[in-house]
Amino acid sequence: MPVKKILKEHETSMKKCVEYLHNEFKGVRTGRASTGLVDNIKVEYYGSMTPINQMANVNAPDATNILIKPFDPSSLKNIEKAIKASDVGLNPIAENGAIRISVPPLSEERREKIADQVKQMGEAQKIAIRNVRRDANKKLDDDEKNKVISEDDRDHAKKEVDQMTKKYTEEIEEHTKAKIEEVMTV
């Protein structure tokens, strides 16, 4: 396998780690109403589990409320039940064909716990990126051993893999710090 293909393949994997973390952070509660809090909640709808954002308009009209207006009014009770059953810890109120969720402010203790969870999420993705680096280096070593690439090409590619690892690890650290700051801001 040519060096460029190995590098591109593993860089794509590193990008996916960053994207995954970004999507995970959308569901982290910050004390401000965000539609991301309910995006990952799935609702039993005609026999299949459907994300709320595919069956309703979800918006945050202000900093303390989330408003969910189902496309199909008969799904209102199922959406309400799914939100109550989720681990988000919010209390939905059905009214006038919509669901209103009031997002209460977070206590300092709860903010610290959420910040710790954010750190753990970031660390898990940094580990995933290091695993991608390990796999790329192993592939490069195998290709050099099998005489597919030269030793110089392998060494040069390993340096590029290390640079990619550093770049995406720093990106994850930036996202994590920003999310922690967002959580800790009152």
Side-chain angles (χ1 to χ4, degrees):
M1 183 183 281
V3 173
K4 286 185 179 185
K5 187 174 180 185
I6 293 171
L7 292 174
K8 186 172 183 168
E9 181 180 298
H10 288 84
E11 183 172 24
T12 301
S13 296
M14 290 182 185
K15 284 180 184 177
K16 286 181 181 176
C17 291
V18 174
E19 289 171 17
Y20 178 82
L21 183 68
H22 188 68
N23 288 332
E24 283 289 297
F25 283 171
K26 286 181 184 176
V28 173
R29 200 165 151 205
T30 60
R32 243 186 329 291
S34 166
T35 60
L37 292 173
V38 295
D39 277 350
N40 295 328
I41 298 174
K42 297 198 184 316
V43 179
E44 173 75 32
Y45 187 62
Y46 290 113
S48 66
M49 298 305 284
T50 308
I52 287 179
N53 60 1
Q54 291 181 10
M55 55 188 296
N57 282 327
V58 182
N59 64 28
D62 57 50
T64 60
N65 289 299
I66 298 172
L67 189 62
I68 302 170
K69 292 183 181 177
F71 303 132
D72 177 6
S74 67
S75 65
L76 193 69
K77 291 289 180 200
N78 290 349
I79 294 173
E80 184 178 13
K81 187 168 35 169
I83 294 169
K84 284 181 181 176
S86 73
D87 62 351
V88 178
L90 298 173
N91 190 22
I93 300 167
E95 59 185 21
N96 302 327
I99 295 175
R100 182 174 302 279
I101 301 171
S102 180
V103 180
L106 297 171
S107 67
E108 190 64 30
E109 181 181 328
R110 183 72 179 127
R111 286 180 193 279
E112 289 172 9
K113 284 182 182 178
I114 291 172
D116 287 342
Q117 288 174 338
V118 167
K119 285 178 193 171
Q120 290 173 356
M121 290 173 172
E123 192 57 40
Q125 291 313 304
K126 286 196 277 186
I127 290 168
I129 285 177
R130 289 192 296 268
N131 288 340
V132 171
R133 178 187 63 193
R134 180 197 64 217
D135 294 344
N137 287 340
K138 183 179 184 321
K139 180 71 176 142
L140 290 166
D141 287 338
D142 290 346
D143 281 0
E144 190 269 331
K145 185 176 165 184
N146 295 329
K147 307 284 187 221
V148 176
I149 60 174
S150 70
E151 190 175 333
D152 288 343
D153 287 343
R154 181 203 62 192
D155 293 343
H156 179 70
K158 279 188 170 188
K159 286 180 184 175
E160 284 190 47
V161 169
D162 286 343
Q163 289 172 347
M164 282 190 296
T165 302
K166 183 178 178 189
K167 173 186 170 189
Y168 290 108
T169 300
E170 287 173 354
E171 196 173 326
I172 282 178
E173 286 176 6
E174 288 172 19
H175 286 307
T176 303
K177 283 181 185 175
K179 191 63 176 183
I180 289 171
E181 190 174 307
E182 185 180 347
V183 168
M184 296 307 287
T185 304
V186 179

